[in-house]
PDB file of all heavy atoms in Angstrom:
ATOM      1  N   GLY A 483      -8.386  -5.409  12.358  1.00  0.00           N
ATOM      2  CA  GLY A 483      -9.592  -6.218  12.174  1.00  0.00           C
ATOM      3  C   GLY A 483     -10.702  -5.342  11.649  1.00  0.00           C
ATOM      4  O   GLY A 483     -10.670  -4.114  11.811  1.00  0.00           O
ATOM      5  N   ILE A 484     -11.701  -5.936  11.028  1.00  0.00           N
ATOM      6  CA  ILE A 484     -12.764  -5.129  10.433  1.00  0.00           C
ATOM      7  C   ILE A 484     -13.551  -4.382  11.509  1.00  0.00           C
ATOM      8  O   ILE A 484     -14.073  -3.288  11.258  1.00  0.00           O
ATOM      9  CB  ILE A 484     -13.693  -6.021   9.581  1.00  0.00           C
ATOM     10  CG1 ILE A 484     -14.565  -5.134   8.666  1.00  0.00           C
ATOM     11  CG2 ILE A 484     -14.529  -6.957  10.446  1.00  0.00           C
ATOM     12  CD1 ILE A 484     -15.296  -5.902   7.595  1.00  0.00           C
ATOM     13  N   ASP A 485     -13.615  -4.931  12.711  1.00  0.00           N
ATOM     14  CA  ASP A 485     -14.323  -4.255  13.789  1.00  0.00           C
ATOM     15  C   ASP A 485     -13.586  -3.013  14.283  1.00  0.00           C
ATOM     16  O   ASP A 485     -14.162  -2.181  14.998  1.00  0.00           O
ATOM     17  CB  ASP A 485     -14.558  -5.219  14.957  1.00  0.00           C
ATOM     18  CG  ASP A 485     -13.272  -5.824  15.483  1.00  0.00           C
ATOM     19  OD1 ASP A 485     -12.321  -6.001  14.700  1.00  0.00           O
ATOM     20  OD2 ASP A 485     -13.209  -6.131  16.694  1.00  0.00           O
ATOM     21  N   GLU A 486     -12.298  -2.874  13.899  1.00  0.00           N
ATOM     22  CA  GLU A 486     -11.520  -1.706  14.306  1.00  0.00           C
ATOM     23  C   GLU A 486     -11.669  -0.539  13.334  1.00  0.00           C
ATOM     24  O   GLU A 486     -11.209   0.571  13.618  1.00  0.00           O
ATOM     25  CB  GLU A 486     -10.030  -2.074  14.405  1.00  0.00           C
ATOM     26  CG  GLU A 486      -9.719  -3.154  15.437  1.00  0.00           C
ATOM     27  CD  GLU A 486      -8.247  -3.553  15.412  1.00  0.00           C
ATOM     28  OE1 GLU A 486      -7.446  -2.833  14.774  1.00  0.00           O
ATOM     29  OE2 GLU A 486      -7.907  -4.590  16.015  1.00  0.00           O
ATOM     30  N   VAL A 487     -12.282  -0.785  12.176  1.00  0.00           N
ATOM     31  CA  VAL A 487     -12.344   0.235  11.132  1.00  0.00           C
ATOM     32  C   VAL A 487     -13.069   1.502  11.574  1.00  0.00           C
ATOM     33  O   VAL A 487     -12.584   2.613  11.321  1.00  0.00           O
ATOM     34  CB  VAL A 487     -12.975  -0.351   9.847  1.00  0.00           C
ATOM     35  CG1 VAL A 487     -13.208   0.748   8.812  1.00  0.00           C
ATOM     36  CG2 VAL A 487     -12.066  -1.434   9.277  1.00  0.00           C
ATOM     37  N   PRO A 488     -14.257   1.422  12.227  1.00  0.00           N
ATOM     38  CA  PRO A 488     -14.913   2.671  12.656  1.00  0.00           C
ATOM     39  C   PRO A 488     -14.016   3.539  13.530  1.00  0.00           C
ATOM     40  O   PRO A 488     -13.941   4.769  13.334  1.00  0.00           O
ATOM     41  CB  PRO A 488     -16.145   2.168  13.415  1.00  0.00           C
ATOM     42  CG  PRO A 488     -16.461   0.848  12.792  1.00  0.00           C
ATOM     43  CD  PRO A 488     -15.115   0.238  12.509  1.00  0.00           C
ATOM     44  N   ALA A 489     -13.317   2.934  14.490  1.00  0.00           N
ATOM     45  CA  ALA A 489     -12.444   3.715  15.372  1.00  0.00           C
ATOM     46  C   ALA A 489     -11.289   4.333  14.594  1.00  0.00           C
ATOM     47  O   ALA A 489     -10.878   5.470  14.864  1.00  0.00           O
ATOM     48  CB  ALA A 489     -11.918   2.838  16.505  1.00  0.00           C
ATOM     49  N   ARG A 490     -10.741   3.589  13.614  1.00  0.00           N
ATOM     50  CA  ARG A 490      -9.647   4.126  12.803  1.00  0.00           C
ATOM     51  C   ARG A 490     -10.118   5.319  11.995  1.00  0.00           C
ATOM     52  O   ARG A 490      -9.413   6.336  11.899  1.00  0.00           O
ATOM     53  CB  ARG A 490      -9.113   3.038  11.867  1.00  0.00           C
ATOM     54  CG  ARG A 490      -8.271   1.988  12.537  1.00  0.00           C
ATOM     55  CD  ARG A 490      -6.858   2.513  12.817  1.00  0.00           C
ATOM     56  NE  ARG A 490      -6.140   2.736  11.570  1.00  0.00           N
ATOM     57  CZ  ARG A 490      -5.366   3.796  11.319  1.00  0.00           C
ATOM     58  NH1 ARG A 490      -5.235   4.754  12.220  1.00  0.00           N
ATOM     59  NH2 ARG A 490      -4.728   3.900  10.166  1.00  0.00           N
ATOM     60  N   LEU A 491     -11.300   5.229  11.418  1.00  0.00           N
ATOM     61  CA  LEU A 491     -11.832   6.348  10.635  1.00  0.00           C
ATOM     62  C   LEU A 491     -12.103   7.557  11.525  1.00  0.00           C
ATOM     63  O   LEU A 491     -11.848   8.694  11.135  1.00  0.00           O
ATOM     64  CB  LEU A 491     -13.104   5.915   9.913  1.00  0.00           C
ATOM     65  CG  LEU A 491     -12.892   4.949   8.734  1.00  0.00           C
ATOM     66  CD1 LEU A 491     -14.220   4.355   8.286  1.00  0.00           C
ATOM     67  CD2 LEU A 491     -12.216   5.667   7.569  1.00  0.00           C
ATOM     68  N   GLU A 492     -12.603   7.305  12.715  1.00  0.00           N
ATOM     69  CA  GLU A 492     -12.849   8.413  13.647  1.00  0.00           C
ATOM     70  C   GLU A 492     -11.543   9.088  14.049  1.00  0.00           C
ATOM     71  O   GLU A 492     -11.469  10.320  14.160  1.00  0.00           O
ATOM     72  CB  GLU A 492     -13.586   7.897  14.880  1.00  0.00           C
ATOM     73  CG  GLU A 492     -15.031   7.492  14.598  1.00  0.00           C
ATOM     74  CD  GLU A 492     -15.656   6.725  15.756  1.00  0.00           C
ATOM     75  OE1 GLU A 492     -14.935   6.470  16.752  1.00  0.00           O
ATOM     76  OE2 GLU A 492     -16.844   6.388  15.672  1.00  0.00           O
ATOM     77  N   ALA A 493     -10.485   8.293  14.247  1.00  0.00           N
ATOM     78  CA  ALA A 493      -9.191   8.858  14.624  1.00  0.00           C
ATOM     79  C   ALA A 493      -8.622   9.711  13.497  1.00  0.00           C
ATOM     80  O   ALA A 493      -8.087  10.805  13.733  1.00  0.00           O
ATOM     81  CB  ALA A 493      -8.213   7.735  14.978  1.00  0.00           C
ATOM     82  N   LEU A 494      -8.729   9.230  12.246  1.00  0.00           N
ATOM     83  CA  LEU A 494      -8.233  10.011  11.118  1.00  0.00           C
ATOM     84  C   LEU A 494      -9.077  11.260  10.919  1.00  0.00           C
ATOM     85  O   LEU A 494      -8.557  12.331  10.577  1.00  0.00           O
ATOM     86  CB  LEU A 494      -8.242   9.161   9.845  1.00  0.00           C
ATOM     87  CG  LEU A 494      -7.305   7.955   9.828  1.00  0.00           C
ATOM     88  CD1 LEU A 494      -7.379   7.245   8.487  1.00  0.00           C
ATOM     89  CD2 LEU A 494      -5.872   8.364  10.131  1.00  0.00           C
ATOM     90  N   GLY A 495     -10.380  11.116  11.109  1.00  0.00           N
ATOM     91  CA  GLY A 495     -11.245  12.284  10.993  1.00  0.00           C
ATOM     92  C   GLY A 495     -10.897  13.355  12.008  1.00  0.00           C
ATOM     93  O   GLY A 495     -10.946  14.555  11.710  1.00  0.00           O
ATOM     94  N   ALA A 496     -10.508  12.926  13.215  1.00  0.00           N
ATOM     95  CA  ALA A 496     -10.118  13.895  14.248  1.00  0.00           C
ATOM     96  C   ALA A 496      -8.907  14.705  13.810  1.00  0.00           C
ATOM     97  O   ALA A 496      -8.802  15.904  14.109  1.00  0.00           O
ATOM     98  CB  ALA A 496      -9.836  13.172  15.563  1.00  0.00           C
ATOM     99  N   LEU A 497      -7.970  14.059  13.082  1.00  0.00           N
ATOM    100  CA  LEU A 497      -6.806  14.780  12.581  1.00  0.00           C
ATOM    101  C   LEU A 497      -7.210  15.871  11.584  1.00  0.00           C
ATOM    102  O   LEU A 497      -6.491  16.852  11.406  1.00  0.00           O
ATOM    103  CB  LEU A 497      -5.832  13.806  11.902  1.00  0.00           C
ATOM    104  CG  LEU A 497      -5.195  12.747  12.797  1.00  0.00           C
ATOM    105  CD1 LEU A 497      -4.349  11.793  11.968  1.00  0.00           C
ATOM    106  CD2 LEU A 497      -4.351  13.405  13.889  1.00  0.00           C
ATOM    107  N   ALA A 498      -8.353  15.662  10.924  1.00  0.00           N
ATOM    108  CA  ALA A 498      -8.845  16.632   9.950  1.00  0.00           C
ATOM    109  C   ALA A 498      -9.857  17.598  10.565  1.00  0.00           C
ATOM    110  O   ALA A 498     -10.505  18.365   9.839  1.00  0.00           O
ATOM    111  CB  ALA A 498      -9.488  15.903   8.773  1.00  0.00           C
ATOM    112  N   GLY A 499     -10.010  17.547  11.897  1.00  0.00           N
ATOM    113  CA  GLY A 499     -10.922  18.466  12.567  1.00  0.00           C
ATOM    114  C   GLY A 499     -12.371  18.040  12.526  1.00  0.00           C
ATOM    115  O   GLY A 499     -13.267  18.866  12.758  1.00  0.00           O
ATOM    116  N   MET A 500     -12.653  16.772  12.255  1.00  0.00           N
ATOM    117  CA  MET A 500     -14.026  16.271  12.186  1.00  0.00           C
ATOM    118  C   MET A 500     -14.366  15.537  13.486  1.00  0.00           C
ATOM    119  O   MET A 500     -13.565  14.754  13.995  1.00  0.00           O
ATOM    120  CB  MET A 500     -14.196  15.317  11.000  1.00  0.00           C
ATOM    121  CG  MET A 500     -13.818  15.911   9.651  1.00  0.00           C
ATOM    122  SD  MET A 500     -13.751  14.662   8.331  1.00  0.00           S
ATOM    123  CE  MET A 500     -15.472  14.150   8.236  1.00  0.00           C
ATOM    124  N   ASP A 501     -15.569  15.780  14.016  1.00  0.00           N
ATOM    125  CA  ASP A 501     -15.968  15.030  15.204  1.00  0.00           C
ATOM    126  C   ASP A 501     -16.545  13.677  14.782  1.00  0.00           C
ATOM    127  O   ASP A 501     -16.728  13.391  13.597  1.00  0.00           O
ATOM    128  CB  ASP A 501     -16.967  15.822  16.049  1.00  0.00           C
ATOM    129  CG  ASP A 501     -18.256  16.170  15.295  1.00  0.00           C
ATOM    130  OD1 ASP A 501     -18.658  15.406  14.397  1.00  0.00           O
ATOM    131  OD2 ASP A 501     -18.864  17.204  15.608  1.00  0.00           O
ATOM    132  N   GLU A 502     -16.825  12.833  15.762  1.00  0.00           N
ATOM    133  CA  GLU A 502     -17.262  11.467  15.462  1.00  0.00           C
ATOM    134  C   GLU A 502     -18.566  11.441  14.680  1.00  0.00           C
ATOM    135  O   GLU A 502     -18.736  10.604  13.786  1.00  0.00           O
ATOM    136  CB  GLU A 502     -17.410  10.676  16.772  1.00  0.00           C
ATOM    137  CG  GLU A 502     -16.099  10.433  17.490  1.00  0.00           C
ATOM    138  CD  GLU A 502     -16.282   9.610  18.749  1.00  0.00           C
ATOM    139  OE1 GLU A 502     -17.427   9.138  18.990  1.00  0.00           O
ATOM    140  OE2 GLU A 502     -15.299   9.428  19.482  1.00  0.00           O
ATOM    141  N   ARG A 503     -19.477  12.336  14.984  1.00  0.00           N
ATOM    142  CA  ARG A 503     -20.761  12.348  14.274  1.00  0.00           C
ATOM    143  C   ARG A 503     -20.563  12.733  12.816  1.00  0.00           C
ATOM    144  O   ARG A 503     -21.167  12.137  11.922  1.00  0.00           O
ATOM    145  CB  ARG A 503     -21.732  13.311  14.953  1.00  0.00           C
ATOM    146  CG  ARG A 503     -23.119  13.311  14.301  1.00  0.00           C
ATOM    147  CD  ARG A 503     -24.108  14.141  15.092  1.00  0.00           C
ATOM    148  NE  ARG A 503     -25.423  14.138  14.467  1.00  0.00           N
ATOM    149  CZ  ARG A 503     -26.321  13.169  14.607  1.00  0.00           C
ATOM    150  NH1 ARG A 503     -26.036  12.113  15.356  1.00  0.00           N
ATOM    151  NH2 ARG A 503     -27.491  13.234  14.005  1.00  0.00           N
ATOM    152  N   ALA A 504     -19.697  13.714  12.571  1.00  0.00           N
ATOM    153  CA  ALA A 504     -19.439  14.134  11.188  1.00  0.00           C
ATOM    154  C   ALA A 504     -18.794  13.008  10.401  1.00  0.00           C
ATOM    155  O   ALA A 504     -19.139  12.758   9.244  1.00  0.00           O
ATOM    156  CB  ALA A 504     -18.547  15.378  11.176  1.00  0.00           C
ATOM    157  N   VAL A 505     -17.832  12.305  11.036  1.00  0.00           N
ATOM    158  CA  VAL A 505     -17.184  11.178  10.363  1.00  0.00           C
ATOM    159  C   VAL A 505     -18.211  10.106  10.037  1.00  0.00           C
ATOM    160  O   VAL A 505     -18.244   9.567   8.919  1.00  0.00           O
ATOM    161  CB  VAL A 505     -16.062  10.592  11.245  1.00  0.00           C
ATOM    162  CG1 VAL A 505     -15.539   9.288  10.645  1.00  0.00           C
ATOM    163  CG2 VAL A 505     -14.926  11.590  11.395  1.00  0.00           C
ATOM    164  N   ALA A 506     -19.077   9.794  10.999  1.00  0.00           N
ATOM    165  CA  ALA A 506     -20.068   8.746  10.789  1.00  0.00           C
ATOM    166  C   ALA A 506     -20.993   9.083   9.627  1.00  0.00           C
ATOM    167  O   ALA A 506     -21.290   8.229   8.787  1.00  0.00           O
ATOM    168  CB  ALA A 506     -20.877   8.530  12.073  1.00  0.00           C
ATOM    169  N   ARG A 507     -21.461  10.320   9.570  1.00  0.00           N
ATOM    170  CA  ARG A 507     -22.382  10.712   8.500  1.00  0.00           C
ATOM    171  C   ARG A 507     -21.675  10.707   7.142  1.00  0.00           C
ATOM    172  O   ARG A 507     -22.251  10.298   6.129  1.00  0.00           O
ATOM    173  CB  ARG A 507     -22.972  12.097   8.797  1.00  0.00           C
ATOM    174  CG  ARG A 507     -23.917  12.098   9.992  1.00  0.00           C
ATOM    175  CD  ARG A 507     -24.387  13.507  10.319  1.00  0.00           C
ATOM    176  NE  ARG A 507     -25.206  14.043   9.236  1.00  0.00           N
ATOM    177  CZ  ARG A 507     -26.519  13.858   9.118  1.00  0.00           C
ATOM    178  NH1 ARG A 507     -27.158  13.113  10.017  1.00  0.00           N
ATOM    179  NH2 ARG A 507     -27.192  14.392   8.137  1.00  0.00           N
ATOM    180  N   GLN A 508     -20.434  11.184   7.116  1.00  0.00           N
ATOM    181  CA  GLN A 508     -19.683  11.212   5.863  1.00  0.00           C
ATOM    182  C   GLN A 508     -19.376   9.797   5.365  1.00  0.00           C
ATOM    183  O   GLN A 508     -19.559   9.490   4.188  1.00  0.00           O
ATOM    184  CB  GLN A 508     -18.383  11.994   6.040  1.00  0.00           C
ATOM    185  CG  GLN A 508     -18.557  13.497   6.176  1.00  0.00           C
ATOM    186  CD  GLN A 508     -18.826  14.150   4.834  1.00  0.00           C
ATOM    187  OE1 GLN A 508     -18.053  14.024   3.895  1.00  0.00           O
ATOM    188  NE2 GLN A 508     -19.945  14.850   4.749  1.00  0.00           N
ATOM    189  N   VAL A 509     -18.897   8.943   6.261  1.00  0.00           N
ATOM    190  CA  VAL A 509     -18.561   7.580   5.872  1.00  0.00           C
ATOM    191  C   VAL A 509     -19.817   6.820   5.457  1.00  0.00           C
ATOM    192  O   VAL A 509     -19.823   6.084   4.452  1.00  0.00           O
ATOM    193  CB  VAL A 509     -17.846   6.835   7.018  1.00  0.00           C
ATOM    194  CG1 VAL A 509     -17.673   5.349   6.680  1.00  0.00           C
ATOM    195  CG2 VAL A 509     -16.494   7.467   7.297  1.00  0.00           C
ATOM    196  N   GLY A 510     -20.900   7.000   6.209  1.00  0.00           N
ATOM    197  CA  GLY A 510     -22.136   6.286   5.911  1.00  0.00           C
ATOM    198  C   GLY A 510     -22.681   6.579   4.533  1.00  0.00           C
ATOM    199  O   GLY A 510     -23.272   5.704   3.890  1.00  0.00           O
ATOM    200  N   SER A 511     -22.477   7.799   4.048  1.00  0.00           N
ATOM    201  CA  SER A 511     -22.990   8.154   2.723  1.00  0.00           C
ATOM    202  C   SER A 511     -21.946   8.005   1.625  1.00  0.00           C
ATOM    203  O   SER A 511     -22.298   7.893   0.448  1.00  0.00           O
ATOM    204  CB  SER A 511     -23.507   9.600   2.736  1.00  0.00           C
ATOM    205  OG  SER A 511     -22.473  10.507   3.100  1.00  0.00           O
ATOM    206  N   ALA A 512     -20.650   7.984   1.990  1.00  0.00           N
ATOM    207  CA  ALA A 512     -19.593   7.949   0.971  1.00  0.00           C
ATOM    208  C   ALA A 512     -19.130   6.540   0.647  1.00  0.00           C
ATOM    209  O   ALA A 512     -18.809   6.238  -0.504  1.00  0.00           O
ATOM    210  CB  ALA A 512     -18.392   8.784   1.418  1.00  0.00           C
ATOM    211  N   ILE A 513     -19.048   5.659   1.647  1.00  0.00           N
ATOM    212  CA  ILE A 513     -18.477   4.325   1.461  1.00  0.00           C
ATOM    213  C   ILE A 513     -19.597   3.295   1.377  1.00  0.00           C
ATOM    214  O   ILE A 513     -20.409   3.171   2.293  1.00  0.00           O
ATOM    215  CB  ILE A 513     -17.521   3.956   2.614  1.00  0.00           C
ATOM    216  CG1 ILE A 513     -16.414   5.006   2.758  1.00  0.00           C
ATOM    217  CG2 ILE A 513     -16.928   2.570   2.385  1.00  0.00           C
ATOM    218  CD1 ILE A 513     -15.531   5.145   1.544  1.00  0.00           C
ATOM    219  N   GLY A 514     -19.623   2.549   0.279  1.00  0.00           N
ATOM    220  CA  GLY A 514     -20.662   1.546   0.104  1.00  0.00           C
ATOM    221  C   GLY A 514     -20.306   0.197   0.691  1.00  0.00           C
ATOM    222  O   GLY A 514     -21.183  -0.559   1.102  1.00  0.00           O
ATOM    223  N   CYS A 515     -19.010  -0.114   0.747  1.00  0.00           N
ATOM    224  CA  CYS A 515     -18.603  -1.422   1.271  1.00  0.00           C
ATOM    225  C   CYS A 515     -17.172  -1.369   1.767  1.00  0.00           C
ATOM    226  O   CYS A 515     -16.322  -0.698   1.175  1.00  0.00           O
ATOM    227  CB  CYS A 515     -18.737  -2.500   0.195  1.00  0.00           C
ATOM    228  SG  CYS A 515     -18.457  -4.196   0.792  1.00  0.00           S
ATOM    229  N   ILE A 516     -16.924  -2.068   2.861  1.00  0.00           N
ATOM    230  CA  ILE A 516     -15.582  -2.248   3.404  1.00  0.00           C
ATOM    231  C   ILE A 516     -15.191  -3.705   3.202  1.00  0.00           C
ATOM    232  O   ILE A 516     -15.950  -4.620   3.543  1.00  0.00           O
ATOM    233  CB  ILE A 516     -15.535  -1.882   4.898  1.00  0.00           C
ATOM    234  CG1 ILE A 516     -15.807  -0.385   5.081  1.00  0.00           C
ATOM    235  CG2 ILE A 516     -14.189  -2.252   5.511  1.00  0.00           C
ATOM    236  CD1 ILE A 516     -16.008   0.031   6.524  1.00  0.00           C
TER     237      ILE A 516
END
Side-chain angles (χ1 to χ4, degrees):
I484 195 168
D485 57 330
E486 299 175 13
V487 173
R490 285 283 293 138
L491 288 168
E492 290 168 357
L494 295 182
L497 296 175
M500 304 170 65
D501 60 30
E502 293 182 6
R503 183 173 180 82
V505 171
R507 291 175 65 87
Q508 288 283 303
V509 172
S511 59
I513 304 298
C515 187
I516 294 171

